[in-house]
Amino acid sequence: MKNKIIVSIILFHFLFGMNLLLAQSDFEIVENFKKRVSQVEQHIKDADSLAELAKIDREIEKLRSDFIPNEELLNRSLYPNNFDKTFRNLREAYQLRENDFTQIDVLATEVTGLRVEVDTLRRRNNELTLQFEELGQQTSARIGELEKTIARLNSSLKKRDQIVMNMIDSMLTPSGSDGELSPKEKQQLLSEAEQNNVLYHIKRAVNDNIRFINATELQPDDIEELRNRQQNFFRIWGSVGPTMVELYAARGKSTNELKEIDEAFSRWHNELNREVWVSIRSKFAGNNVKLQNFSSGEEFTAVITNYIGDEIRNANTRGNDETEATYNRFVDSTWYSGINSEWLPFLLDNNMLDEKDKDTIEVMIASWKDTVYPGGINWLYIVIAVVVIALIIFFFTRKPQKTTETIISSEPS
Amino acid sequence: MKPIKYFIFIVFLSLQACSSLTLKPADFSWPIESVLEVSKDGFVKEDRHSLFFDTKNMFLEETEDSSAYMNKEIRIIRDAKGYYYITSNNFNNVYVFNVYDGELCLENKIEITETGISKPAFNQRPPYIELVEGSNKHLLSNDGIKSED
């Protein structure tokens, strides 16, 4: 009995529903279909996961099955679309969204991988930073140690040079009033030289000094000290060298060793000069100013003036920032921060550079400054113009007053 | 005598014009009705079929009220022969129009009820037009009601 009631209710609803369906306007069916399609399209757009998209897949299928009885009506009514094309469009939209999620998944996987890689690199960077800091500490320690070693070496060379110079000096016994050595003194000089192996020590001392110069980058003070030492050494050798040559020649001995010593002294002198120019050039290079090689005052002046000339000529084609940066690197950071105060006095004192060359360079620098910062000249013109105008105004305002006074004073009282 | 001559002449011309070129069969039916809102000036516009006309006289005919078209919508459909069937909510009639020289001319006025049609809808049921009125349905042609459920 109960089952019969349930079946009756279902049948009633089915028939009523069918009746409603049959009585439905085609227009409403089409509008209802369009509304459902729009809803599905919106759901596709709003879906935020593949799981949610899977539900929409079922929704599309249900939509199709719901409206398949009206396919013919919809084919006629959905101009310019039709039933199948509408579902193809929905499927395409669905597929695109699915591809988006697939791509997002792939990208998410890549991001995860990259995150792991970043973590690994971060750890590696930390390790490297620690190693770098340790190496920095070690390097600082080593540099300090090296500087101490250089200082010790310099000091040792200085002591050894002094001993060798004393040795040479001691060979020179007081001579007669005419400065000529007696045969006995000459014999004594020769035997002492041979006995003390003096020539070997001199040659060794000069060569060691040359090696020291080549191995280190020296500052003006160091070079000044080395130059004094070299000149002192050369002066002492000059007092005994010619006599030694004469003695060796008189006794038929080879004078090659003596000539080698002369050449070594000459090389020492040249190396010192070369070291000066190398140090100056490296000072520029340290501030990213790349100059051509130079090994004399003339070459130095020519290189500097050519460099500045090129910069002045190229100032118009470069941007202001670049021109100013180059000027600042050269002039402010190098020329006036080291070369002018440290090296120029040394170069001038040692006749390695003329005052004329120095002036030439400074004129070029002033010209460069005018090119880079032309505003200064304009201000000067403005100040001059203001002064001239003020003088003219003063002149014209003073003159009439005097005339009036003259007229008044000339009137009869 | 003269009118007879004129009549024969006109009939002759008509027959000659018709017999010169005829394209048939032709189907003017719309797949579904269109539901159009009446503008404040009494006009309706159907974009898909490029139809535009004034409804004021039809509302005046139906309601005898010159402002009855305000805030109303009409339902319109065209049958295979090219007749337009128009009605609106609470209308008693369905108006059948034919096109003539840039105008919609009343072909037939089909009375459906005396109490007003509630929520009417047209369906294309070739060769007829179906009028749905709630659960009631009427099959219409340009001549009138063909059958009712």
Side-chain angles (χ1 to χ4, degrees):
Chain A
M1 183 66 187
K2 195 177 178 182
N3 287 341
K4 280 184 181 177
I5 292 169
I6 291 169
V7 170
S8 302
I9 291 169
I10 290 169
L11 196 61
F12 172 78
H13 279 283
F14 177 74
L15 291 173
F16 182 74
M18 283 299 287
N19 189 42
L20 277 180
L21 189 65
L22 286 173
Q24 194 177 16
S25 154
D26 290 351
F27 177 78
E28 283 177 26
I29 293 169
V30 174
E31 289 301 304
N32 190 20
F33 178 76
K34 286 179 182 173
K35 192 176 166 187
R36 293 268 303 270
V37 169
S38 296
Q39 283 174 350
V40 173
E41 283 172 345
Q42 194 58 44
H43 291 164
I44 290 171
K45 283 180 190 167
D46 294 344
D48 55 7
S49 67
L50 276 169
E52 205 165 313
L53 210 56
K55 289 179 194 168
I56 297 166
D57 184 39
R58 292 192 289 275
E59 196 179 340
I60 293 171
E61 283 310 310
K62 186 167 190 316
L63 179 66
R64 189 179 189 95
S65 63
D66 286 351
F67 283 89
I68 197 81
N70 303 110
E71 183 177 357
E72 194 185 333
L73 171 68
L74 292 167
N75 278 338
R76 283 187 281 119
S77 309
L78 294 172
Y79 181 83
N81 279 353
N82 58 34
F83 186 74
D84 284 336
K85 194 175 176 189
T86 303
F87 281 96
R88 272 206 304 277
N89 291 344
L90 283 178
R91 281 287 164 203
E92 279 175 15
Y94 177 89
Q95 198 65 46
L96 279 173
R97 194 70 180 139
E98 195 176 45
N99 289 346
D100 286 348
F101 283 119
T102 310
Q103 206 166 356
I104 287 167
D105 276 358
V106 170
L107 288 172
T109 311
E110 280 180 16
V111 167
T112 308
L114 287 171
R115 197 177 292 134
V116 171
E117 205 170 337
V118 165
D119 285 344
T120 309
L121 285 171
R122 193 183 295 126
R123 279 198 299 277
R124 179 76 184 138
N125 279 347
N126 286 337
E127 289 169 11
L128 287 171
T129 306
L130 287 172
Q131 283 179 17
F132 180 74
E133 285 172 2
E134 284 174 14
L135 280 172
Q137 287 167 1
Q138 287 174 9
T139 307
S140 300
R142 282 181 186 175
I143 287 170
E145 204 174 320
L146 192 61
E147 283 173 350
K148 282 179 190 168
T149 306
I150 289 169
R152 278 202 300 273
L153 178 61
N154 191 24
S155 173
S156 172
L157 282 173
K158 192 176 172 183
K159 279 180 189 168
R160 203 268 308 277
D161 289 351
Q162 192 59 49
I163 290 167
V164 174
M165 282 190 280
N166 290 342
M167 195 186 288
I168 298 168
D169 214 19
S170 67
M171 291 191 308
L172 296 173
T173 52
S175 57
S177 57
D178 56 354
E180 282 289 321
L181 293 174
S182 64
K184 189 181 174 185
E185 286 171 339
K186 285 179 181 176
Q187 177 58 41
Q188 188 183 349
L189 176 65
L190 192 61
S191 63
E192 279 185 15
E194 287 177 344
Q195 192 180 345
N196 295 326
N197 212 2
V198 171
L199 295 184
Y200 168 78
H201 286 303
I202 293 170
K203 199 161 69 177
R204 182 70 194 268
V206 173
N207 285 331
D208 283 350
N209 274 294
I210 291 169
R211 283 175 61 201
F212 177 72
I213 291 167
N214 289 333
T216 54
E217 187 175 310
L218 301 171
Q219 295 302 310
D221 291 344
D222 305 326
I223 290 181
E224 185 72 38
E225 187 195 333
L226 277 173
R227 183 177 283 274
N228 289 337
R229 201 194 303 170
Q230 186 259 342
Q231 285 173 349
N232 205 18
F233 212 146
F234 187 68
R235 183 180 52 74
I236 292 172
W237 169 248
S239 65
V240 73
T243 310
M244 297 278 291
V245 171
E246 189 186 324
L247 285 172
Y248 270 56
R251 291 175 187 270
K253 288 188 174 183
S254 170
T255 57
N256 285 345
E257 202 170 11
L258 299 169
K259 285 179 186 170
E260 282 175 13
I261 290 172
D262 279 341
E263 286 169 5
F265 268 112
S266 176
R267 205 163 61 247
W268 188 4
H269 177 78
N270 291 339
E271 284 297 323
L272 263 175
N273 283 352
R274 191 192 61 79
E275 179 60 26
V276 170
W277 299 119
V278 166
S279 294
I280 290 173
R281 189 163 174 269
S282 68
K283 184 87 179 173
F284 277 103
N287 287 317
N288 203 21
V289 178
K290 291 174 184 172
L291 298 176
Q292 292 177 334
N293 285 330
F294 44 82
S295 58
S296 69
E298 289 82 9
E299 286 181 13
F300 172 69
T301 308
V303 166
I304 295 288
T305 52
N306 284 342
Y307 181 90
I308 295 173
D310 288 345
E311 287 299 321
I312 291 171
R313 275 191 295 279
N314 294 331
N316 291 332
T317 56
R318 292 182 185 169
N320 284 343
D321 292 346
E322 191 184 345
T323 309
E324 286 179 20
T326 310
Y327 175 85
N328 291 334
R329 279 201 307 274
F330 188 100
V331 179
D332 297 336
S333 304
T334 315
W335 186 262
Y336 289 120
S337 295
I339 304 297
N340 193 47
S341 56
E342 294 172 10
W343 284 103
L344 280 188
F346 176 85
L347 294 174
L348 292 169
D349 290 348
N350 290 285
N351 296 321
M352 295 174 75
L353 190 74
D354 293 339
E355 283 287 347
K356 195 178 77 180
D357 292 336
K358 183 192 166 197
D359 292 344
T360 304
I361 292 170
E362 295 205 326
V363 166
M364 284 299 284
I365 289 174
S367 173
W368 191 11
K369 186 181 181 184
D370 290 343
T371 307
V372 177
Y373 300 106
I377 294 173
N378 293 342
W379 277 110
L380 187 64
Y381 286 148
I382 290 165
V383 169
I384 291 168
V386 167
V387 170
V388 169
I389 290 165
L391 284 172
I392 290 168
I393 291 168
F394 178 75
F395 178 74
F396 279 107
T397 51
R398 291 275 294 176
K399 205 172 178 182
Q401 283 177 355
K402 278 185 179 178
T403 311
T404 313
E405 284 170 9
T406 312
I407 292 166
I408 292 167
S409 62
S410 63
E411 284 178 355
S413 55
Chain B
M1 190 62 188
K2 269 188 175 178
I4 293 169
K5 279 184 180 175
Y6 281 126
F7 178 74
I8 293 167
F9 179 69
I10 290 166
V11 169
F12 173 75
L13 282 178
S14 310
L15 288 172
Q16 194 179 28
C18 194
S19 63
S20 64
L21 180 62
T22 304
L23 302 178
K24 61 179 185 180
D27 184 355
F28 298 96
S29 63
W30 292 358
I32 54 169
E33 66 178 342
S34 287
V35 180
L36 307 174
E37 284 187 14
V38 181
S39 72
K40 60 183 171 43
D41 301 319
F43 286 83
V44 289
K45 188 167 181 285
E46 212 283 337
D47 290 322
R48 181 173 166 184
H49 302 99
S50 300
L51 186 64
F52 179 69
F53 60 91
D54 188 351
T55 64
K56 287 198 286 287
N57 286 338
M58 183 180 70
F59 278 95
L60 185 62
E61 170 76 16
E62 177 70 19
T63 62
E64 297 179 348
D65 177 2
S66 62
S67 62
Y69 64 89
M70 299 291 281
N71 301 319
K72 292 284 178 7
E73 62 178 22
I74 63 159
R75 306 181 88 91
I76 179 169
I77 193 166
R78 197 176 191 191
D79 70 5
K81 289 194 278 187
Y83 292 105
Y84 290 97
Y85 296 74
I86 306 176
T87 193
S88 183
N89 197 29
N90 293 326
F91 269 29
N92 294 334
N93 306 290
V94 170
Y95 293 81
V96 183
F97 290 94
N98 199 1
V99 177
Y100 179 74
D101 197 18
E103 295 173 348
L104 288 173
C105 301
L106 186 65
E107 177 77 15
N108 196 2
K109 182 175 165 184
I110 306 168
E111 185 175 357
I112 305 298
T113 175
E114 291 179 350
T115 55
I117 312 166
S118 175
K119 295 180 182 175
F122 290 123
N123 292 328
Q124 191 66 248
R125 296 287 181 264
Y128 303 109
I129 295 294
E130 181 184 68
L131 174 68
V132 179
E133 182 201 8
S135 59
N136 299 325
K137 291 184 280 186
H138 313 273
L139 282 178
L140 311 175
S141 74
N142 57 308
D143 296 328
I145 298 172
K146 289 299 169 187
S147 69
E148 297 181 45
D149 278 353

